[in-house]
Each structure stands twice: as C-alpha cells, then as structure tokens.
Amino acid sequence: MSLSVALKVAQSALAARQSESSVIARNISGAQDPGYSRKSVLLSQTYTDTGQVGGLKVDGIGRVTDSALYASLLQSTSTGTSQEAVLAGLTRLAETTGDTENQYSAAARLGELKLSLQTYASDPNNAIQAQDVLQASKDMAATLQDNSELVQEVRANADADMASSVREINTLLQQLEDLNSVVVRGTQSGADVTDALDSRDQVLLKLSEEIGITTLNRSHGDIVVYTDSGVTLFETKAREVSFQQTVVYDATTTGNAVLVDGVPVVGPGAVMEVNSGRLHGLAELRDDVAVTYQSQLDEIARGLIEAFAEADQSGGGGPDQAGLFTWSGGPALPAAATLMPGLAAEIVVNANADPDQGGSLDRLRDGGISDPLDPNYDYNPTGAAGFSDRLQELVSAIDADTVFDGGVELDPTDSLSGFAASSVSWLESGRKTMTGNVEVQSVILGRTAENLNNKTGVNIDEEMTLLLEIERSYSAATRLITAVDAMLEDLLAAAR
C-alpha cells in the first residue's frame, strides 16, 4: 500500500469515526424522547484503481426498525382504545344500578314496590300502607325515567367524542401529509430523514388510537395508510374524514355515520366498517350497547304497564287499560311483546291514584284507576275495606311469566322481576368482561411497546461502549497519520 493510499485510509477512518461520534451523541440525547429510534452510520469501503482498499465512505444515516413489531403495536393500540371507550360507557351506565345498599336499579325499585304491595295487602284499609305503595310506584317510574335520561346522555357524549376524534384524525392526517413529503423529498436527495421517519411513526401511532389502520410502504420512503377495513385514509394526500354531530338524543334518535372520502366506515350504513380504534368503540357504545340497555329499560316499562293493567270486570269484553302505570298513549296498552322505544322515559304513575293530583289512594286497592267514571273496571264495587284480591293479583303479576321483545338480548319469556334482574346482570356482566379485556390488552400493549423499544430504542450503556471503541479507532487512525507523516518527513530528508 502506498503512503498516499494509507493516508487516505486514515483520513476516511477519522471522518467515519467523527460521524459515528456525532450519531452516538444524538442517540444519547434522544434516548428518553418518545418514539426515538436508534440511529447508526451507514458505511461502505472504497477501492483504488488497483483494487486495494482505499478507506471508508459514509453512505448516510440509518435507523433501527422492526416493521412486524411496529404493526403489532398499531393494532394493539387500536384494540385497546376501542375497548377503553366501551368500558368507560359501561361504567357510566352502571350508575343506573348503583350498589346493593343504594337500591338504584329498576330491579331494586321493583322489589320495593312488590314488598309494599304485599304489606298493603295484609292490611288493605291502612292509608299509610297505601301511601307507601304510591311512593314506591313513583320511585319506580322516576328510576326508569332517570335511567333512560342517563343512557341518552351517554349516547350524546359518545357522539360528541366521535366528533372530537374525527377532528383529531383530520389533524393527524395533515401532519402525516407534511412529514411524508419531507421523507420522500429527503430520500430522493439523499438527506438524513431518520428524525422525520420517527415523527411520522409517532403520528401513525396517535392515529391508530383514533381509528384502526394498516400501512403500505412504497419507494422513496413513501407510505399509504388504510383503515383496518381497507378504506384509503392517506395516499400522497390526506383524505377527508367527516362527521355530523347529533347534539340531542332520545331513544328514537339514530346517530350519523363517519365518512372517509364519502364512504361510511363507522355508524349506520357503514359498508366498510372499521374494527378497532376509539371511533369504533364510541360507535359501538352509542349504537349498540347503550341502545340495547335502553331497549331493556323500555321493555321493563312496558312490562309494568302490562302487569298493572286493569281488565273489564263486567264480563263485557272491554279492552284492558293502563292502570297504576300509564304512558302518553294511555289508557290503551302498548302492543304486547313489542319494543316501544322511549317508553321508559314516558312512564308515569296514573294521576287517578295520586291524591296530590286529584286522585284517590283507595283505587290502589279497589281498581278503577284507568277510568274512575267507568264502573266496569272497579274490582271492589261494594267498597269493602278489607278487600285485598286486587293487591294480591298485582303481586302475582310481578312474578308471572310474560312475553318480552326478543331483540333485547334477554330471555323473552321471563317474569317482570326476573327480566329486570337479568338486565342488571347483563350490564354488570358486560362491564366485568370488558374490564378483563382492557386489562389483558393493556398487558399486550405494554409488552409489545417494551419489545419494540428493546429492538429499536437506545441503550445508554451500549452507546457509551461504542463511544469507547470509536475513541480507540480514532486513536489508531491518528497514529497511522503520524506514522505516514514521519515516513514522508524521512523521504523528504533523504531527497535533500
């Protein structure tokens, strides 16, 4: 090897070591930054015209990646945020049941009503017991109304959160567009784009919190992003994600769909429905979980009206009419075994049994609540003070088998008391299951993130060790330069 080649090798080694030192310092500085991936100098050997090694060439800066682990992280993140959104809604809905001591649930109120009826039946001439029945009835109706209001509040909040999520998605997609342009232009010009790639990955991770995504890498560092159902979210340009918020909800309200480039991906009519992400969880809460629970409350209300309905006592075949519990369509009864959305919000205690509204407590015992002017619905025409048959009949009606709508995820042939208890169990079971799912997913997400960090993150100890090795290499290169310089000095001295 000639002295000139040896000098070039030493000089190139010094330049390479300088680049490596700079990158290591950069790694140490960014070690604690979220999403920072370890950087390294890409080196290659150069050769002389005669085929001898001519030194090192810095080809650029690379970063450590693991596409499989990163894709798994995106998926785990989307699944986790979806489950968390549903769990938050279920936890709020659980306020309608409270604990066993507070007796907030419809099932607990129904139990109180049954007990008060039994007590009144044992002493049907006791006005105080009659007042207890009336109060228990009012508490029952108020509980259904309050629970229905809370369910619709949960749906409205979920809808508002969907609007916030869509705004966040559009913001992230615009950031992605800007970063992707930097990556593509930098890759084409040979610039260092590793920090931009890190930033782009972080944007994608945040995007996966809102909506399930998959990615496709193309030439020059370009990327395409799809929803996990296959709709394009980003390809060179960000696609528009739109949603029209619904502010006020009742049991008959249907929320709007989320559109990506005009294609419904979340909510009613979604033709390519996303399977994960916060949007998915919020839509499931708004359109499925809360709607089902509302339907159960509506069926409890219908069951109450039906159980306390009054029949024609004259034998004339008159229609059954709403008695102690009525609704906006009273005195007619709601259609049997058929869900009537919003009925839980409408149910009230019949004013004809409430002295504060001009009614009479005696009608709780005697009947005739549906129409005090029609004697055909009077169960105690003689006005006997010890008459308890009607009260016993009402107690039995609460536990009698009936037929409910089959689309509310509960046994449609249960008793009213059993149906109400099953509704509480359904809600608590769903909350317990989702809590377990969230805990499991949290572990999966944590381990995936940890594994990815172990693969691509910065280990300070390793970086310091590399720095010592570079220092030794740098020292060796300087000694080589010193030796070449001495040899050149000797040659010049000999030539004088």
Side-chain angles (χ1 to χ4, degrees), residues 254-269:
T254 299
N256 292 314
V258 175
L259 309 178
V260 176
D261 240 10
V263 178
V265 297
V266 171

Side-chain angles (χ1 to χ4, degrees), residues 103-155:
Q103 299 283 299
Y104 285 151
S105 71
R109 293 299 191 193
L110 186 59
E112 291 177 350
L113 176 57
K114 178 183 175 182
L115 180 60
S116 66
L117 283 169
Q118 290 172 328
T119 304
Y120 185 29
S122 66
D123 187 6
N125 195 35
N126 191 321
I128 295 177
Q129 300 298 339
Q131 185 64 47
D132 287 344
V133 171
L134 180 63
Q135 186 59 52
S137 301
K138 289 182 177 180
D139 290 343
M140 180 78 243
T143 292
L144 288 173
Q145 293 169 4
D146 292 344
N147 289 357
S148 182
E149 181 179 352
L150 189 144
V151 170
Q152 298 313 313
E153 181 182 334
V154 168
R155 295 185 68 207

Side-chain angles (χ1 to χ4, degrees), residues 160-234:
D161 289 342
M162 289 174 68
S164 298
S165 180
V166 167
R167 288 193 293 270
E168 179 68 8
I169 288 171
N170 283 319
T171 298
L172 291 171
L173 287 176
Q174 187 57 57
Q175 292 175 5
L176 181 63
E177 181 177 325
D178 296 339
L179 287 168
N180 192 68
S181 297
V182 171
V183 170
V184 172
R185 289 197 304 267
T187 302
Q188 290 173 338
S189 64
D192 178 9
V193 297
T194 53
D195 285 338
L197 287 169
D198 285 348
S199 297
R200 191 176 71 176
D201 282 353
Q202 284 300 102
V203 169
L204 289 172
L205 187 59
K206 291 179 181 178
L207 185 62
S208 71
E209 294 179 7
E210 306 300 330
I211 187 170
I213 60 172
T214 59
T215 62
L216 174 66
N217 294 318
R218 301 197 297 191
S219 60
H220 304 301
D222 193 17
I223 195 171
V224 182
V225 182
Y226 306 96
T227 66
D228 58 16
S229 59
V231 179
T232 303
L233 275 171
F234 174 83

Side-chain angles (χ1 to χ4, degrees), residues 13 40 144 260 419 437:
S40 62
L144 288 173
V260 176
F419 188 89
N437 291 343

